[in-house]
Amino acid sequence: MSTLTGTGHLARLILRRDRVVLPIWVLLLAVLPMSYATSFFALFPTVAERAAYATGTARNPSIVALLGPVYGDSVGALTAQRGGFLQLIVGLAALLTVIRHTRTEEEAGRRELLGATVLGRYAGLTAALLVTYAASLLLGLLAAAGLASTGLPVAGSLAYGLSGTLVGVVFATVGGLAAQLTETAGGARGIALGALGVAFALRLAGDTASNDWPSWLSPLGWAPRIRAYEGERWWVLALPVALTVLLAVVAYPVSVRRDLGAGVLPSRLGPVRAGRALSGPFGLAWRLHRGQLLGWSVGFGLLGLILGGAAEAAGRSVAGNATLEQVMARLGGASGLAEAYLGATLSVAGLAATGYGIQAALRMRSEEAAGRVEPLLATGVPRSVWLASHLVFALVGPVVVLAVIGLATGLTYGLSVDDVPGQLPRMLGAGLAQVPAAWVLAGLAVLLHGLLPRYASTAWAVLAVVVLLGQLGAVLELNQWLLDLSPFTHTPQVLRPGWSAVPLLTLTALAGLLCVAGLATFRRRDVPST
């Protein structure tokens, strides 16, 4: 029997299990760069306007820290910079996918069952990596084709697409190595996310310094240095390939030398008796959700600090471009382009916070599928109480992370305009205004868990559609009734005078109805549901 026996069967199983989530992140991240290019063509039709914008962004450390450097004033160069943040998300999606199909499978006991069949020693890790590599390659090719379809040079489009592919490949392998180091999926995610954070910090430090050598130590720094559309440097692609090989050479021997279910790093023993906080379902839910909530809050806080610091310069960089001034004003303008920029970016943050709400709501489904709900309900815990313990985090979590980003944005923006006391409450309100729309999609996830538990992950597909409507709706000139399907279309721009709270109350009521319906259907079905 070969060490790779059964790899094909496992790969097909992974594709079946991820038939909803995998296409979502591949298609979404492939389409967004095309929308950026289309927008730049429309908003900066002249060389002078593009040059002014490129100069303004290049001189702003906050924008460079978030997006990366810009190497020219062509539409392609501006698009490549704008899509730099997407490559961070590609790396995140890739490492989480690999950990989900390696360490999570071991922790749940399914890997041991599969290992009892005719299965090679390397089959599990290889199948997870191959599927994620293929998804990253497909994403890169689709992104390249989309960019080329807008009229951008094919060579530059291919360079941009391959740079994103290799970011995904590198961090998929990082996830595969992290899965061998700890006994828990949470620990593996922590290690892999820490590596991603270090890579981002190195890229940030290099891009904002006079000497960019730290960026050359980071896979996220290699991607922009391929210089898509500005004299492509194809040799840079060899760096992520070499790092991938090195990580795989370490991961594969470790995967077969350790015991199944064990990790290289010793696990820390817990207390003999559980604390009083774990005596009820709410304490248990807090234990399950606290790590994710803390991670999201820290990430949103750092993002808010960067966005607030970039706002003033972002407004100056588009000054004089009448078309862009009108667009930014529609997105959330109040007293200037800087606040228009902040209104737009906080709207995008609302979409991201919705991801946390859906993730927290779907934790109920993962707990049920793992067989941990039935023993709890057998102790006399009412179904409604158990569901409410997780629902609290699905609803309160978006409030927390959006409050954090609002306060962080208000702090740095207030410092830049010497008005911290005035800007803190305004930006906090602009962030919290996104909460009701996020609640609607979280409520939909709760309803799907109660009514159609097997299809609960469809909530991610709905979020993807909402993101596409928001990012591409205006570009594709879609009918207004299609745009109105997104709850975020109805969120008022609270930085603009004369806004109404009626849409917020309506969205909140709709979210409440969805949650109540989810509770009612959950109480009437079997647990666990197949």
Side-chain angles (χ1 to χ4, degrees):
M1 182 178 69
S2 168
T3 57
L4 297 176
T5 299
T7 299
H9 294 289
L10 287 181
R12 286 194 292 272
L13 177 62
I14 292 172
L15 289 172
R16 177 174 175 78
R17 294 186 61 201
D18 279 6
R19 61 187 180 275
V20 175
V21 175
L22 195 65
I24 288 174
W25 67 262
V26 168
L27 293 176
L28 184 61
L29 295 174
V31 169
L32 286 177
M34 181 179 65
S35 72
Y36 298 154
T38 304
S39 298
F40 279 124
F41 274 118
L43 299 174
F44 299 100
T46 68
V47 175
E49 290 175 336
R50 292 196 297 271
Y53 178 82
T55 301
T57 57
R59 291 177 178 175
N60 187 303
S62 296
I63 294 178
V64 173
L66 181 64
L67 302 179
V70 58
Y71 290 106
D73 56 15
S74 65
V75 170
L78 298 180
T79 301
Q81 187 211 27
R82 183 68 178 83
F85 190 74
L86 296 179
Q87 294 176 338
L88 174 68
I89 302 176
V90 171
L92 175 64
L95 68 87
L96 292 178
T97 299
V98 171
I99 292 173
R100 163 177 157 79
H101 293 291
T102 51
R103 176 51 66 179
T104 301
E105 292 297 286
E106 280 194 50
E107 190 176 8
R110 290 186 289 267
R111 176 66 179 82
E112 188 174 10
L113 292 175
L114 291 172
T117 64
V118 181
L119 199 65
R121 294 183 299 169
Y122 296 145
L125 178 58
T126 302
L129 289 176
L130 285 179
V131 169
T132 311
Y133 289 172
S136 300
L137 178 60
L138 179 60
L139 187 158
L141 294 177
L142 289 176
L147 290 171
S149 69
T150 66
L152 292 176
V154 174
S157 301
L158 184 60
Y160 175 82
L162 289 179
S163 67
T165 291
L166 290 176
V167 168
V169 167
V170 167
F171 284 102
T173 316
V174 169
L177 176 58
Q180 314 309 317
L181 300 179
T182 67
E183 293 185 2
T184 65
R189 284 191 290 267
I191 293 173
L193 290 174
L196 182 64
V198 170
F200 180 75
L202 288 171
R203 200 274 296 162
L204 184 152
D207 290 347
T208 55
S210 57
N211 191 330
D212 69 347
W213 67 264
S215 296
W216 286 99
L217 302 177
S218 167
L220 296 176
W222 298 334
R225 279 156 183 79
I226 295 172
R227 296 197 177 187
Y229 305 104
E230 295 295 329
E232 293 80 12
R233 298 193 291 191
W234 298 101
W235 63 267
V236 178
L237 295 174
L239 297 176
V241 172
L243 180 58
T244 298
V245 172
L246 177 62
L247 292 170
V249 166
V250 176
Y252 271 92
V254 172
S255 69
V256 296
R257 291 175 183 170
R258 63 177 177 83
D259 292 334
L260 186 64
V264 174
L265 302 177
S267 59
R268 182 173 60 89
L269 296 178
V272 177
R273 295 181 179 274
R276 294 184 62 184
L278 290 176
S279 61
F282 285 93
L284 178 59
W286 164 248
R287 180 69 176 266
L288 294 173
H289 288 275
R290 64 183 182 183
Q292 291 180 347
L293 182 58
L294 177 61
W296 279 78
S297 299
V298 171
F300 268 55
L302 294 175
L303 182 60
L305 294 175
I306 295 173
L307 294 176
E312 191 68 18
R316 290 195 302 269
S317 69
V318 300
N321 186 316
T323 303
L324 190 54
E325 287 180 358
Q326 293 173 6
V327 171
M328 293 294 285
R330 287 198 300 269
L331 285 171
S335 60
L337 291 173
E339 293 187 0
Y341 163 83
L342 290 173
T345 53
L346 287 175
S347 296
V348 175
L351 290 168
T354 304
Y356 174 83
I358 293 176
Q359 183 184 40
L362 294 185
R363 184 61 186 258
M364 295 184 289
R365 177 55 184 166
S366 63
E367 289 293 298
E368 182 180 349
R372 291 188 286 266
V373 176
E374 202 171 9
L376 286 175
L377 298 180
T379 65
V381 174
R383 291 192 180 199
S384 57
V385 173
W386 176 82
L387 187 142
S389 68
H390 290 275
L391 183 60
V392 165
F393 291 92
L395 298 180
V396 175
V399 176
V400 172
V401 298
L402 286 170
V404 168
I405 195 173
L407 290 172
T409 301
L411 175 62
T412 50
Y413 178 59
L415 289 172
S416 68
V417 297
D418 296 324
D419 184 24
V420 173
Q423 296 304 326
L424 270 178
R426 296 184 71 239
M427 297 306 154
L428 175 61
L432 293 179
Q434 313 302 319
V435 168
W439 280 349
V440 169
L441 295 185
L444 177 62
V446 174
L447 175 60
L448 289 172
H449 170 257
L451 184 63
L452 301 169
R454 290 186 60 186
Y455 302 98
S457 60
T458 307
W460 291 113
V462 176
L463 176 59
V465 171
V466 168
V467 172
L468 289 175
L469 288 175
Q471 296 294 314
L472 299 178
V475 175
L476 300 178
E477 298 181 350
L478 299 178
N479 290 330
Q480 187 60 42
W481 70 268
L482 275 175
L483 300 179
D484 288 340
L485 294 176
S486 168
F488 287 91
T489 302
H490 307 282
T491 299
Q493 299 292 345
V494 300
L495 297 179
R496 180 185 302 170
W499 62 276
S500 172
V502 173
L504 299 179
L505 296 175
T506 303
L507 291 172
T508 301
L510 176 59
L513 290 175
L514 290 171
C515 291
V516 170
L519 174 60
T521 52
F522 175 70
R523 294 178 64 182
R524 287 172 171 78
R525 69 170 175 84
D526 294 334
V527 175
S529 173
T530 57

